[in-house]
Amino acid sequence: MIYLDYSATTPVNKEVLETFNKVCNDFIGNPNSLHKLGVEAKKLEESATKQIKELLHLDNEEIIYTSGSSESNNLAIKGLCLKHQGMGKHIITTNLEHSSIYGPIGYLQKLGYTVDFVKTKNGLVDMDDLKRLLTDDTVLVTISSVNSETGIFQDIKKIATFLKDKKCFFHVDMTQSIGKVNIPLDNIDLISFSAHKFYGLKGIGVLIKKKEITLEPLIHGGKSTTAYRSGTPALPLIVSLSKALRLALENLDKKYEYVLDLNKYLKEEISKLEDVAINSNENSIPHILNISVINIKPETMQHALEKYDIYISTQSACSANNKISKAVLELTNDEKKSSYSIRISLSYLTTKEELEKFIIALKKCINELKIK
């Protein structure tokens, strides 16, 4: 098997799975219980939370554990806007966001909120346009650090510095960047990510927020680990997330350079193919390479490669079933490329030999499908 869909989800690191199993077996108490088993579980939970904050160099922030990035994004956007309706009802975002950003924004629009989409240049946020869109009614700016389809990597530090003196809040979906690239987290009010994107288990995510920021909970019924998310703390998942994050951040620069070399090789080989366009550009992280095989439907190409036991993606795995990729259209302004785009996502686990076999299979699939 050749797996090239790491941006959809990653295989669980064996060490992380071992940690999960150990906590399941050895810490059976509810961290909210007052007896000895509960107290032991609570200490472990607090230790995991402390490690996450240390790894990400956090200080004046609160960790909220969720079921994943989709819940984190919903809690950040709906929770913040509903709690601070008096500040304004205007939201700014981009055309490069995940569906779990557009979903809650769409919900808020039904409640009378307005939304503007900031322009981009070569994929990056146009700072002049962002400045133009800001009004006294702006309550939230939400921008992903890395687009899941094209890999576009925003200059979050620049945006955060610009917004720090403004009265609005700044939320960053870091689902596709945590564990892949280093981003300063200064001046960001809320941050979302999920463990299964960096070799952790599915079902656990995080929303980081500044301590002074209040939210309207999505789930009511008890304090749990925080007042903003009720439910029995998922201790094995929490501890395993902490472990996965620590391992993902080890030798991060070395892993990045390795993936960068793979990306360069892949682009060199793909650029030799007729009727294949590379959509990701110099502003994209090397872990994601978006291409368009013109006149071959993405799903058709996906299933053709499947016959060779090779797995890639069309649009984001969580996106709506759209024929045109909104993200590719925003980047290329080309409807044809947007209609035929596929995503190849790499990891430090990917080998050059796998990519060589992928290129051979891709050529065969293109020739076979063109004949049909």
Side-chain angles (χ1 to χ4, degrees):
M1 180 187 75
I2 298 176
Y3 186 71
L4 299 174
D5 200 17
Y6 287 93
S7 291
T9 192
T10 56
V12 179
N13 185 300
K14 290 182 180 179
E15 291 183 53
V16 173
L17 188 56
E18 288 170 2
T19 295
F20 174 82
N21 290 333
K22 181 174 177 57
V23 176
C24 283
N25 292 324
D26 297 350
F27 293 84
I28 63 172
N30 185 329
N32 290 335
S33 296
L34 298 179
H35 53 59
K36 180 181 177 182
L37 295 179
V39 172
E40 290 175 349
K42 187 66 176 179
K43 286 181 179 178
L44 183 60
E45 175 205 299
E46 291 174 344
S47 177
T49 301
K50 181 182 178 183
Q51 178 171 257
I52 291 170
K53 295 180 76 170
E54 288 175 349
L55 288 168
L56 297 177
H57 307 292
L58 302 174
D59 181 24
N60 184 37
E61 287 85 10
E62 180 180 359
I63 303 289
I64 302 172
Y65 295 108
T66 68
S67 60
S69 288
S70 290
E71 184 187 339
S72 294
N73 287 335
N74 272 261
L75 179 56
I77 295 170
K78 289 191 285 189
L80 183 115
C81 289
L82 293 176
K83 189 69 175 181
H84 300 276
Q85 295 183 58
M87 286 183 59
K89 289 193 171 184
H90 177 234
I91 301 168
I92 298 174
T93 189
T94 77
N95 281 310
L96 294 168
E97 303 304 311
H98 189 266
S99 58
S100 62
I101 297 292
Y102 297 134
I105 288 177
Y107 169 80
L108 291 170
Q109 284 181 292
K110 294 176 183 177
L111 301 182
Y113 286 77
T114 60
V115 58
D116 276 312
F117 295 88
V118 64
K119 295 177 183 177
T120 60
K121 293 180 179 178
N122 212 20
L124 300 182
V125 167
D126 184 332
M127 297 301 295
D128 291 333
D129 194 50
L130 178 58
K131 183 177 181 180
R132 180 185 67 82
L133 291 176
L134 277 173
T135 71
D136 291 337
D137 198 45
T138 304
V139 63
L140 176 67
V141 176
T142 177
I143 296 171
S144 64
S145 53
V146 171
N147 174 256
S148 61
E149 288 185 55
T150 63
I152 289 295
F153 183 23
Q154 299 294 341
D155 190 340
I156 294 299
K157 182 179 179 180
K158 180 191 289 187
I159 298 170
T161 301
F162 169 70
L163 292 173
K164 73 174 181 177
D165 296 325
K166 309 299 185 289
K167 76 177 187 69
C168 63
F169 296 100
F170 183 34
H171 166 245
V172 181
D173 179 358
M174 291 196 175
T175 306
Q176 293 292 346
S177 58
I178 293 286
K180 296 176 184 173
V181 291
N182 275 314
I183 301 176
L185 305 185
D186 305 323
N187 303 312
I188 304 173
D189 297 304
L190 304 111
I191 297 165
S192 307
F193 63 85
S194 189
H196 76 99
K197 301 294 187 180
F198 49 86
Y199 315 95
L201 283 89
K202 299 174 183 65
I204 181 72
V206 163
L207 175 62
I208 300 169
K209 73 170 189 64
K210 297 290 186 184
K211 283 184 180 178
E212 64 271 18
I213 295 174
T214 55
L215 305 172
E216 181 65 30
L218 301 182
I219 303 172
H220 297 85
K223 184 176 182 294
S224 191
T225 62
T226 169
Y228 303 108
R229 210 275 190 177
S230 300
T232 302
L235 184 63
L237 287 172
I238 290 169
V239 178
S240 68
L241 181 147
S242 178
K243 178 72 166 286
L245 182 61
R246 179 175 66 79
L247 294 175
L249 295 178
E250 285 180 357
N251 301 312
L252 190 63
D253 292 340
K254 186 177 180 180
K255 292 173 184 174
Y256 182 92
E257 289 300 320
Y258 175 77
V259 175
L260 181 61
D261 286 340
L262 293 179
N263 180 278
K264 289 177 179 177
Y265 167 77
L266 201 53
K267 284 194 288 191
E268 286 174 6
E269 294 303 313
I270 289 175
S271 64
K272 299 173 185 177
L273 305 178
E274 291 184 12
D275 297 321
V276 179
I278 296 176
N279 300 318
S280 297
N281 63 24
E282 66 276 10
N283 295 322
S284 301
I285 61 170
H287 306 72
I288 297 174
L289 183 63
N290 191 289
I291 67 173
S292 294
V293 185
I294 305 303
N295 295 326
I296 297 177
K297 291 180 179 179
E299 295 80 8
T300 303
M301 177 57 72
Q302 185 180 44
H303 293 310
L305 286 167
E306 228 172 10
K307 294 176 183 178
Y308 293 92
D309 210 16
I310 297 174
Y311 301 91
I312 52 96
S313 180
T314 52
Q315 296 182 37
S316 172
C318 299
S319 67
N321 187 24
N322 298 323
K323 291 184 177 180
I324 291 180
S325 166
K326 187 176 181 180
V328 176
L329 183 62
E330 174 73 10
L331 183 59
T332 66
N333 197 31
D334 188 316
E335 286 197 12
K336 198 161 191 177
K337 289 180 180 179
S338 306
S339 300
Y340 296 106
S341 67
I342 60 175
R343 180 187 68 187
I344 305 153
S345 46
L346 310 174
S347 159
Y348 71 91
L349 299 176
T350 308
T351 67
K352 188 176 180 182
E353 290 72 26
E354 288 178 327
L355 296 186
E356 289 170 349
K357 291 177 181 178
F358 164 71
I359 292 295
I360 292 171
L362 180 63
K363 291 177 181 177
K364 288 181 179 178
C365 290
I366 291 173
N367 291 332
E368 291 168 2
L369 295 171
K370 275 186 176 180
I371 292 173
K372 293 180 181 180

